[in-house]
Amino acid sequence: MTSPALADGAPADAGRRREREGSAATVACADAAGGGGRKGRPGPGAGERADRAAGTARTRPPVRVFGVRHHGPGSSRALAAALEEYRPDCVLVEGPADADGLIGWTGSAEMVPPVALMAWQVDEPSRSVSWPFAVFSPEWQALRWAADHGAQARFMDMPSGVVLAHGAQETERGGAEPAVEPEAGAKPGGAQTGGNRPNAAETGSAEPEGAGSAGEAEAGSTQARRIDPIAELARVAGYDDPEAWWEDAVELRLDGDPFDALNEGIGLLREAEPETDAHTLRREAYMRRILRSAVREGHERIAVVCGAWHAPALSGKPPAISADSALLTNLPKAKTSLTWVPWTHQRLSQATGYGAGVASPGWYHHLFTAPDRPAIRWLTRVAQSLRDHDLPVSSAHIIEAARLAEALAVMRGRPMPGLDELDEATLSVLCEGSDLRADLVTREVVVGRALGEVPEGVPMVPLDADLRRTARRLRLAFSAAPKDVTVDLRTPTGLAKAQLLERLTILGVPWGVKRRARSTGTFKEVWTLEWRPEYSVSVVEAAGHGNTVVDAAGAALLTRTDTLADVTRAVESALMAGLEGVLPELLRILDDRAARESDVLHLLASIPALARAHRYGDVRRTDADSLAGVARAVLARACAGLPAAAAGVAEDVAVELKDAVDEVQSVVSLLDEDAVRLWRNALRAALARRGLPGLLAGRITRLLLDGGIFTAEQASRRLSRELSSATDPGEQAGWIEGFLAGNALLLIHDPRLLGVIDRWAGGIPSQAFVDALPALRRAFGSWSRAERRELAARVADLPEGPERPGDGTAGQSGRSEAEGGPEGRTEADGPEAAAPEDEDFDFAGPVLETVSAILGGRR
């Protein structure tokens, strides 16, 4: 929409739109923007569109206002084409006016969206506000167009200092919930804060993320009575769902210029329902001030890119300069700093509470970057995501899903399949009706995991400032040389140091690496500090989670809750890092996950973190009592399901179960005696099951032997039975691997067990021995060199002959040991009989060859 009054001071034809009958103009707007509604209204023909484009090219008004929907791919695509046709020499974009000095970075090839302009209050970094941009954001396309074509680009909204100061005032006035002013698509009365998470039809706000903390509405605002412009236009076009109309009319359009028609429709709505929100009126007055300044500078063509709700206020006849100046007097201000930070699609999502967020950033990114055959390409991406998680999806699945989506679009009268149709096709065909698979697709594809990048040299972010301020307070120096620091968790300073380093570890900034302390107690920790240049980049990347180390670490943990094991690790990390603020939410998620989890492997994997958390409750002075009930419940469910889950599993699953059992065994003693007793009973029950893999059977036997449940005699009999000729050599090797994992002390000091294994290794066929070698080497290879040397010496001392220790009966083994060897020699026979002679090693030659093969040599 043009604005000649702002360009040359002449009054505009303010009655131009009012002469039209309101409903008819709105119908025309809906038809022009949407190309016809569901009731069959025809859109403009090709000739009409060409005439309109030719007329625009001939007149080229000095100011053109492009009303957009923030983070809308259709708006971005149409805007890029319109700017290419209009060719402005000045582009004004809705954004903080004090960030003009950072616009130059948008032209850098190293600036990769999603990114955000972040402003924070200098004296209180935790107060901040962000303006996110994605590649499909119209504002980003406008800034990049200006950089690529040498046009001047400026921001034209309220400075960040005013936004933050206004929010502080609102908080002091009584903590009224701040509201977000609506753009095209905003719901009437759509007051949105961090706790209010709207659906896609309720958003469209231009407000920056964090505006909820900054405040957006005056006390007593009449915003609750404001109409929803998108709902009104959709109703006229014959749509029941406003969001469906907007997607059909704008987001799925591959050509056309909807801006004049959209601006006209919004203008008529604003005439019927004038804007009354004081803060919105001040924002629009400030935008007009910047626009007047750009006109006075002598630009030939000025493009204004703003939220569609503001477009009528920036075109047509403007209010008097004095009226705008009166609105802008005595504005509160705060001293702020601004910078660019990497952003993520997840942070653009409505699920984070971002007022202008979209429900499907990944879909919008795809829609903007892949306009040709978007449905087929989208389903291919979904299939690839499922395949990455080892879920079977074939080309036939993709073809059938595409057919279903297209059929649904035809039935619903849509120009092409939208996300609703594709989601239904994905659930029915690709996910085979599984909600869990569909949730995976939503996380990884519909929302997406894209992370932006910013160039080197961008000013420091508040997280970095808070980190350095905290390090100075704790007297931790940044140094490129490694330095060991011992902290005493019993002192406030030592505890604060350990917590800072734990929080940085959570954020992916491993400035400190924890080492094993020499003390046997748990109140001291040793950290090796070494600052590397790449950590500065990691801090910038982590800035998207929050502005202080505490806030960022807590927010990062809340994103790591996909599985039960993830949640328990997050709880453990929160306790170690002293993040009490996020513990209630993590415990709520933990309780929910634990109640619904049925996978025994997942249950076992979650127990170690829960058990360790009890110790942190004592050492780090945090209350971990609330974890006790959850820990006991998870352990009980794992123990109940372990026997059935362990029987008959494949080899790879057996390895995972063995590792999980080892982890639980190492920490179960940190719980109470009842937990230990419950765990041991579960192990005995699992061992009694038929079909238990040899790896698990051997490992459980060893754990019960170490725990005193089995005697050495019982373990020896089990070993002899498992290594009998009736058992498959592969299973035998797995049993030995599980039994011997850990250390060699058991074999070194128990000649009966060593004799059983020695007799088996020397008696199996050569090919079976070769097949068993990998398992044997895994078992023996985990031992230290000293243990292997000692074992070789013990094997060399084994007596030769059929009655070697462990050859089948305890009596024979005991008699052999009592008699001193296979010949029954004792010290009474004299020193020559008692002492090993040189020729004895000749008898051990074959044995040493076998041991050499097991340890890595040749048989």
Side-chain angles (χ1 to χ4, degrees), residues 487-812:
V487 297
D488 190 338
L489 300 179
R490 296 170 298 182
T491 65
T493 301
L495 183 61
K497 289 179 179 180
Q499 289 177 343
L500 173 63
L501 297 174
E502 294 284 1
R503 292 164 185 169
L504 291 176
T505 301
I506 293 172
L507 293 174
V509 186
W511 179 23
V513 177
K514 191 187 300 184
R515 307 297 183 189
R516 183 181 297 275
R518 296 180 180 177
S519 172
T520 57
T522 59
F523 57 85
K524 283 190 177 181
E525 293 180 348
V526 178
W527 294 80
T528 299
L529 304 186
E530 180 181 3
W531 185 262
R532 300 180 180 179
E534 57 266 27
Y535 293 164
S536 298
V537 179
S538 300
V539 171
V540 173
E541 293 173 349
H545 291 296
N547 300 324
T548 65
V549 177
V550 173
D551 293 343
L557 286 181
L558 289 176
T559 66
R560 304 172 187 176
T561 57
D562 290 344
T563 67
L564 179 61
D566 291 337
V567 180
T568 55
R569 284 191 290 267
V571 169
E572 180 185 12
S573 297
L575 288 169
M576 294 180 66
L579 300 174
E580 290 85 358
V582 298
L583 269 178
E585 177 64 13
L586 286 174
L587 291 176
R588 183 195 66 77
I589 298 173
L590 174 62
D591 188 56
D592 180 65
R593 290 278 197 277
R596 294 188 298 172
E597 184 61 69
S598 59
D599 191 309
V600 172
L601 191 58
H602 291 170
L603 291 170
L604 291 173
S606 67
I607 293 173
L610 291 173
R612 288 191 295 265
H614 281 274
R615 182 176 67 177
Y616 300 143
D618 296 331
V619 178
R620 294 178 178 267
R621 308 176 191 174
T622 53
D623 182 14
D625 291 341
S626 53
L627 292 173
V630 177
R632 283 192 291 268
V634 172
L635 179 63
R637 295 187 63 194
C639 290
L642 178 61
V649 297
E651 182 179 351
D652 56 341
V653 179
V655 172
E656 294 181 1
L657 276 173
K658 191 267 291 183
D659 294 339
V661 167
D662 280 342
E663 286 289 329
V664 175
Q665 176 70 21
S666 67
V667 300
V668 71
S669 60
L670 298 176
L671 302 175
D672 51 31
E673 288 297 325
D674 290 339
V676 175
R677 194 159 40 248
L678 178 65
W679 173 244
R680 289 176 176 174
N681 289 338
L683 292 180
R684 297 190 69 169
L687 191 60
R689 297 281 297 201
R690 291 182 178 273
L692 189 68
L695 179 68
L696 280 173
R699 191 63 196 145
I700 293 176
T701 301
R702 173 65 182 274
L703 295 179
L704 293 176
L705 173 63
D706 292 344
I709 305 301
F710 284 171
T711 64
E713 184 68 26
Q714 290 173 313
S716 179
R717 285 200 301 268
R718 282 183 172 272
L719 181 60
S720 297
R721 184 171 64 249
E722 293 295 334
L723 299 186
S724 66
S725 58
T727 309
D728 178 71
E731 281 293 301
Q732 295 173 350
W735 206 97
I736 293 177
E737 179 184 356
F739 186 76
L740 299 183
N743 59 65
L745 295 180
L746 183 67
L747 284 185
I748 291 174
H749 297 290
D750 194 323
R752 290 172 298 179
L753 296 176
L754 181 59
V756 172
I757 296 176
D758 174 63
R759 185 169 61 87
W760 168 80
I764 62 174
S766 297
Q767 185 57 46
F769 179 80
V770 172
D771 295 338
L773 265 181
L776 295 175
R777 284 181 176 175
R778 283 193 297 269
F780 287 82
S782 63
W783 300 343
S784 67
R785 178 174 298 181
E787 288 176 328
R788 292 198 298 268
R789 186 183 299 114
E790 178 67 18
L791 178 66
R794 292 300 176 115
V795 171
D797 288 340
L798 285 176
E800 183 66 24
E803 297 182 352
R804 302 170 82 174
D807 63 349
T809 64
Q812 290 174 327

Side-chain angles (χ1 to χ4, degrees), residues 179-414:
V180 177
E181 56 84 35
E183 300 297 337
K187 185 179 180 181
Q192 299 178 13
T193 65
N196 185 14
R197 299 182 177 182
N199 59 39
E202 297 176 353
T203 65
S205 164
E207 286 311 306
E209 180 166 332
S213 63
E216 281 304 319
E218 296 289 344
S221 170
T222 59
Q223 187 174 343
R225 295 193 298 271
R226 181 181 294 153
I227 61 175
D228 181 353
I230 289 299
E232 289 297 311
L233 296 177
R235 180 183 59 79
V236 173
Y239 279 70
D240 296 328
D241 183 0
E243 197 65 20
W245 174 79
W246 179 265
E247 188 165 274
D248 289 352
V250 180
E251 306 305 351
L252 298 180
R253 289 174 66 103
L254 300 182
D255 57 9
D257 184 344
F259 297 109
D260 287 344
L262 185 60
N263 291 357
E264 185 173 334
I266 299 295
L268 290 170
L269 293 173
R270 287 192 62 158
E271 287 179 4
E273 186 93 13
E275 179 62 70
T276 57
D277 180 68
H279 187 66
T280 300
L281 293 173
R282 284 199 296 267
R283 291 182 61 209
E284 293 173 349
Y286 195 91
M287 294 181 193
R288 287 190 292 267
R289 172 185 286 182
I290 299 297
L291 179 55
R292 290 190 183 97
S293 175
V295 170
R296 288 194 299 268
E297 291 174 2
H299 295 287
E300 295 182 3
R301 290 179 299 279
I302 302 174
V304 177
V305 180
C306 63
W309 184 257
H310 298 305
L314 303 179
S315 54
K317 182 180 179 179
I321 296 177
S322 58
D324 284 347
S325 298
L327 287 172
L328 298 176
T329 56
N330 300 321
L331 290 177
K333 295 181 180 179
K335 186 178 180 181
T336 61
S337 293
L338 295 99
T339 190
W340 289 104
V341 296
W343 219 245
T344 64
H345 277 175
Q346 185 179 10
R347 294 297 299 273
L348 280 171
S349 172
Q350 294 167 350
T352 63
Y354 170 36
V358 293
S360 50
W363 163 247
Y364 273 7
H365 182 273
H366 172 80
L367 201 58
F368 182 76
T369 57
D372 58 319
R373 307 186 71 184
I376 296 294
R377 293 179 181 272
W378 176 257
L379 291 171
T380 303
R381 286 187 58 194
V382 171
Q384 183 60 53
S385 174
L386 293 172
R387 288 168 180 165
D388 289 342
H389 291 272
D390 296 328
L391 297 173
V393 179
S394 67
S395 299
H397 283 89
I398 300 174
I399 294 172
E400 290 304 316
R403 288 174 177 171
L404 176 58
E406 291 171 359
L408 290 172
V410 171
M411 293 173 58
R412 296 168 180 174
R414 308 197 67 176

Side-chain angles (χ1 to χ4, degrees), residues 109-160:
E110 298 177 0
M111 179 78 84
V112 180
V115 292
L117 272 174
M118 176 179 288
W120 66 93
Q121 197 165 317
V122 173
D123 57 350
E124 191 177 350
S126 60
R127 294 192 57 81
S128 69
V129 65
S130 302
W131 287 261
F133 299 86
V135 70
F136 51 82
S137 301
E139 297 88 348
W140 179 260
Q141 290 300 314
L143 294 172
R144 288 305 301 260
W145 188 94
D148 294 340
H149 294 80
Q152 185 186 67
R154 295 173 60 183
F155 288 122
M156 61 183 307
D157 204 349
M158 287 283 195
S160 60

